Amino acid sequence: MTIDTRDALISALGNQHDKILWDKASISTQVSGGYSSLWRATGLPAQGAIPGAAAYCTSALLGSIAITNQTAPAVGYIGWHTLTTGNANSNLEIHDRLAHMGGLSGAVTTAQNVLINLDTINAGGPVGDSRLGASDFSDVTWWLEWYTATGATASNATVNVTFSDNSTGNLAAIAVGGTAIAASRMIKLISNHASGLDIKGVNTVTLSANTGTAGSFGVTATRQRTLLWTGAVANQTATFDWAQLGMPKIRNNSCLFGIMLATATSTGTVKGFGKIIQG
Amino acid sequence: MLNVGDTVRVLTPFDESFPETYAITDVVTNTDGTIVYILGECGGFDICYLEVV
């Protein structure tokens, strides 16, 4: 039954859904006001692996929330969700992890290949199943994501990208040293195209200096699906209905994981239960 | 080898973000022996991305 009435919504909430389970350990050494990836957090979903070469991400990856693919015209939606966080005033963004790579070194000052292009990342073809959202890539968020800490020596990263019109260019330099960047930290990449075009691919990352520690970081492309938040009391559960969640579509093969905008120097524990309703 | 106080310009690909000339404010040696030149708030640069003016 297509979910376009309250009756259909109620029926799906009760009878036709996948469940989402979160029980993530806290990640330390984060920065208040900075983004933290839960990909490598232990618990549920399982800890994801550190990626190597550029790869397309699907729900089959360890670290993703398990979903059941639907047969069109049926589709999944996040219809209900709870959130309990070990830190007060926390938030959880649920993203579809489209593509990732890792193994960039904080000690190398030559251009390092990233080679993610969302037109070809899926076995030579584009990101599938409408996971991309808008065809101009405006629904995609790009990140630098850390897997092991790099060093504290001041350095800048210049990221060379391919824009949606297939032109290439360098983003504004990003400070990646001065203080060691810990595992699970994320830094958002912002397009600086003169005409406001969005990014369809990341080609290389070049560091201006050796940070002093190789570590491991990489590039991740995501599409945000929804946002949940908790209030002023730690470990108090918040509940979100379909309207508060925005009822985002969860496309087949989506690789759902969590990102937090840290409000402390750790993410705090994350617990929650949700329903991906289908119809 | 450059010194604190030297004035440098930044080379490609960082010149787009750092288009002016800058004074070296500090010299840092990493534990592996690599040397990083600090240009104040602009951060650190390997000598291969700097040119003395």
Side-chain angles (χ1 to χ4, degrees):
Chain A
M1 179 191 304
T2 300
I3 304 175
D4 57 1
T5 63
R6 283 184 179 270
D7 284 350
L9 176 65
I10 291 168
S11 177
L13 282 169
N15 304 304
Q16 192 71 29
H17 59 264
D18 283 334
K19 59 180 180 288
I20 303 172
L21 281 174
W22 300 92
D23 194 349
K24 287 288 197 180
S26 179
I27 303 173
S28 60
T29 328
Q30 302 300 292
V31 170
S32 179
Y35 287 98
S36 300
S37 169
L38 298 187
W39 182 251
R40 293 284 296 158
T42 56
L44 284 174
Q47 181 185 45
I50 296 174
Y56 184 52
C57 299
T58 70
S59 53
L61 279 184
L62 187 68
S64 172
I65 289 167
I67 64 170
T68 304
N69 285 347
Q70 300 300 298
T71 301
V75 69
Y77 307 83
I78 301 180
W80 185 81
H81 212 296
T82 72
L83 181 64
T84 312
T85 55
N87 291 340
N89 297 316
S90 287
N91 60 79
L92 174 68
E93 299 180 11
I94 299 178
H95 285 242
D96 182 3
R97 192 176 181 99
L98 303 174
H100 62 191
M101 62 79 62
L104 299 180
S105 170
V108 169
T109 54
T110 52
Q112 300 182 67
N113 283 334
V114 172
L115 302 179
I116 296 178
N117 186 314
L118 296 182
D119 273 345
T120 57
I121 190 68
N122 181 11
V127 171
D129 300 309
S130 304
R131 292 172 63 191
L132 206 56
S135 60
D136 63 357
F137 303 93
S138 57
D139 285 333
V140 179
T141 306
W142 292 88
W143 310 86
L144 296 180
E145 181 172 358
W146 265 255
Y147 300 104
T148 56
T150 50
T153 300
S155 182
N156 296 288
T158 286
V159 181
N160 183 266
V161 303
T162 299
F163 297 104
S164 58
D165 66 350
N166 293 315
S167 64
T168 60
N170 294 323
L171 302 182
I174 301 165
V176 296
T179 182
I181 298 182
S184 295
R185 289 275 314 280
M186 301 181 88
I187 296 176
K188 195 177 286 189
L189 302 179
I190 308 295
S191 173
N192 59 354
H193 192 280
S195 299
L197 297 182
D198 288 285
I199 301 167
K200 79 151 75 167
V202 175
N203 306 312
T204 62
V205 172
T206 307
L207 298 184
S208 64
N210 178 351
T211 68
T213 302
S216 175
F217 69 105
V219 175
T220 305
T222 73
R223 181 184 175 202
Q224 183 175 346
R225 305 317 292 126
T226 194
L227 168 68
L228 304 90
W229 60 93
T230 53
V233 178
N235 297 308
Q236 186 172 72
T237 300
T239 305
F240 302 86
D241 65 17
W242 60 275
Q244 290 169 301
L245 295 166
M247 217 163 128
K249 286 187 172 71
I250 302 304
R251 299 296 186 177
N252 286 347
N253 301 304
S254 289
C255 181
L256 301 180
F257 81 113
I259 293 177
M260 301 184 81
L261 180 63
T263 55
T265 55
S266 68
T267 60
T269 56
V270 177
K271 293 179 170 62
F273 175 81
K275 295 186 178 185
I276 299 177
I277 58 177
Q278 295 146 352
Chain B
M1 178 76 181
L2 305 178
N3 301 293
V4 172
D6 287 350
T7 301
V8 297
R9 68 168 58 89
V10 177
L11 302 178
T12 299
F14 299 96
D15 55 331
E16 296 173 33
S17 292
F18 305 101
E20 307 194 4
T21 58
Y22 306 90
I24 294 173
T25 58
D26 198 2
V27 180
V28 172
T29 304
N30 285 319
T31 55
D32 65 356
T34 54
I35 296 173
V36 176
Y37 298 95
I38 309 299
L39 307 184
E41 293 181 353
C42 296
F45 293 82
D46 188 273
I47 194 170
C48 68
Y49 294 116
L50 299 175
E51 180 180 73
V52 175
V53 296

